[in-house]
Amino acid sequence: MFESLTEKLNSVFKSLSGRGRITESNISDAMRDVRKALLEADVNYNIVKQFCKDVRDAALGAEVIKSLHPGQVLIKIVNDELTKLMGPVDTRIYFVSPGPTIILLAGLQGCGKTTTAAKLGNYLVSKGKRPLMVADDLQRPAAIEQLKVLGEQTGIPVYSEEIKDAVRVARNAIKHAKDSGNDVVIVDTAGRLHIDEEMMTEVANVAKAITPHQIYLVCDSMTGQDAVNSAKEFNERLELDGVILTKLDGDARGGAALSVKAVTGKPIKFIGVGEKLDKLEEFHPDRMASRILG
Ligand code: GDP
């Protein structure tokens, strides 16, 4: 995860750690390299600019120059600023009583939404919940079948209907959950290759009809700034509660993870770190910052 970024940042800090005292111009050089590394990691340009300014200000304020271990002090500052950039985030899911708590998943096709529905289901089972998954992606023919297979693998029930009305399926599913004693409903909505009006209207209509307690956007981290831009567009239509960023295990760059919160104002709540159904983790900005810095 983020190997390329980690390697580049490490080499910047290594060149500083080798020195005893450093000068302001050493810091400027280091920040130029940090900036380059972040841009190459596909972090949003404006965010990189602000980030580097914040680090520089903090470094000068902390008198890194006078410190005996300037490299370490700077790493700590970068670590803190990275944490700030990705947070704060409350990963708790607030359950309503009486239930069911409704969670809606939106996202582009191929981002890992259906897999994430099952991962989230598994996560909720581990918290003692009895989730129901709803196959409400009626656009992609294989999506219903895929969710049913995932349902069998996880032992989580799946609600589906052979009709083309996503709003009705979602409404019926909630009623079914109430009748069956499911306390959480995870709704897997339709994805498309690109955001289009029809897709946005459908998912917005589903959201309006069932008023979810949580709306998560599932994004593929490998798509970098495209993921961030789609998050921005979805957020304008859906009042997202957060983002679930998938495929971090295959993302060497990290641009999406570092940009989403600052661009959309919505935090990453969970990350997908593998294809297997237990590969979903709560997102902790401080731990992620440490991982990035190796
Ligand atoms: P959907 O079209 O958004 O429903 O996407 P799918 O759930 O079908 O996932 C698309 C592909 O991404 C599948 O091959 C998944 O196994 C894979 N995938 C999903 N999440 C992750 C993840 O966190 N890591 C990796 N490596 N693959 C993932």
Side-chain angles (χ1 to χ4, degrees), residues 4-241:
S4 161
L5 177 60
T6 301
E7 199 181 302
K8 284 177 193 146
L9 290 177
N10 274 342
S11 84
V12 177
F13 296 128
K14 215 164 151 197
S15 69
L16 283 182
S17 306
R19 302 166 189 269
R21 304 260 175 190
I22 58 172
T23 63
E24 210 175 310
S25 115
N26 294 143
I27 294 180
S28 294
D29 289 349
M31 287 321 297
R32 205 186 51 229
D33 292 341
V34 167
R35 177 189 160 103
K36 195 162 159 245
L38 291 172
L39 288 173
E40 281 169 8
D42 201 20
V43 180
N44 175 288
Y45 176 77
N46 291 323
I47 290 166
V48 173
K49 224 167 117 187
Q50 186 63 43
F51 178 84
C52 289
K53 184 181 176 303
D54 292 347
V55 171
R56 208 186 133 77
D57 289 351
L60 296 176
E63 303 210 48
V64 170
I65 298 166
K66 289 191 191 147
S67 146
L68 282 177
H69 304 287
Q72 268 101 314
V73 178
L74 194 60
I75 290 174
K76 166 88 173 63
I77 290 171
V78 171
N79 186 80
D80 291 349
E81 291 295 331
L82 285 174
T83 305
K84 256 196 240 164
L85 187 63
M86 293 182 281
V89 51
D90 179 358
T91 58
R92 281 170 296 182
I93 296 175
Y94 293 90
F95 300 104
V96 297
S97 176
T101 303
I102 302 167
I103 300 174
L104 183 138
L105 299 183
L108 295 176
Q109 192 172 311
C111 65
K113 191 163 38 60
T114 305
T115 313
T116 300
K119 286 179 173 175
L120 194 60
N122 249 348
Y123 170 86
L124 291 165
V125 168
S126 79
K127 302 264 174 208
K129 297 290 166 190
R130 295 190 57 216
L132 172 75
M133 300 195 286
V134 183
D136 210 23
D137 179 354
L138 311 176
Q139 300 294 335
R140 186 162 64 95
I144 296 180
E145 203 43 50
Q146 188 188 347
L147 196 63
K148 282 185 184 165
V149 170
L150 292 169
E152 273 164 31
Q153 282 174 22
T154 53
I156 298 170
V158 172
Y159 184 88
S160 68
E161 281 188 60
E162 291 296 325
I163 55 171
K164 283 276 170 216
D165 182 342
V167 168
R168 228 171 93 194
V169 172
R171 275 209 188 103
N172 292 346
I174 310 290
K175 182 171 180 316
H176 177 83
K178 282 181 186 156
D179 294 345
S180 317
N182 297 108
D183 47 13
V184 187
V185 177
I186 302 168
V187 184
D188 181 24
T189 62
R192 301 263 161 76
L193 285 176
H194 298 286
I195 291 176
D196 60 51
E197 191 48 39
E198 198 188 335
M199 168 201 202
M200 280 298 187
T201 306
E202 178 179 303
V203 70
N205 284 343
V206 171
K208 212 162 124 193
I210 60 172
T211 51
H213 301 96
Q214 296 283 300
I215 302 180
Y216 297 145
L217 182 70
V218 183
C219 283
D220 176 350
S221 75
M222 309 255 281
T223 61
Q225 282 314 299
D226 285 345
V228 178
N229 291 333
S230 70
K232 212 169 142 196
E233 286 192 50
F234 273 98
N235 193 39
E236 280 159 16
R237 293 290 290 268
L238 275 182
E239 296 233 12
L240 302 176
D241 292 284

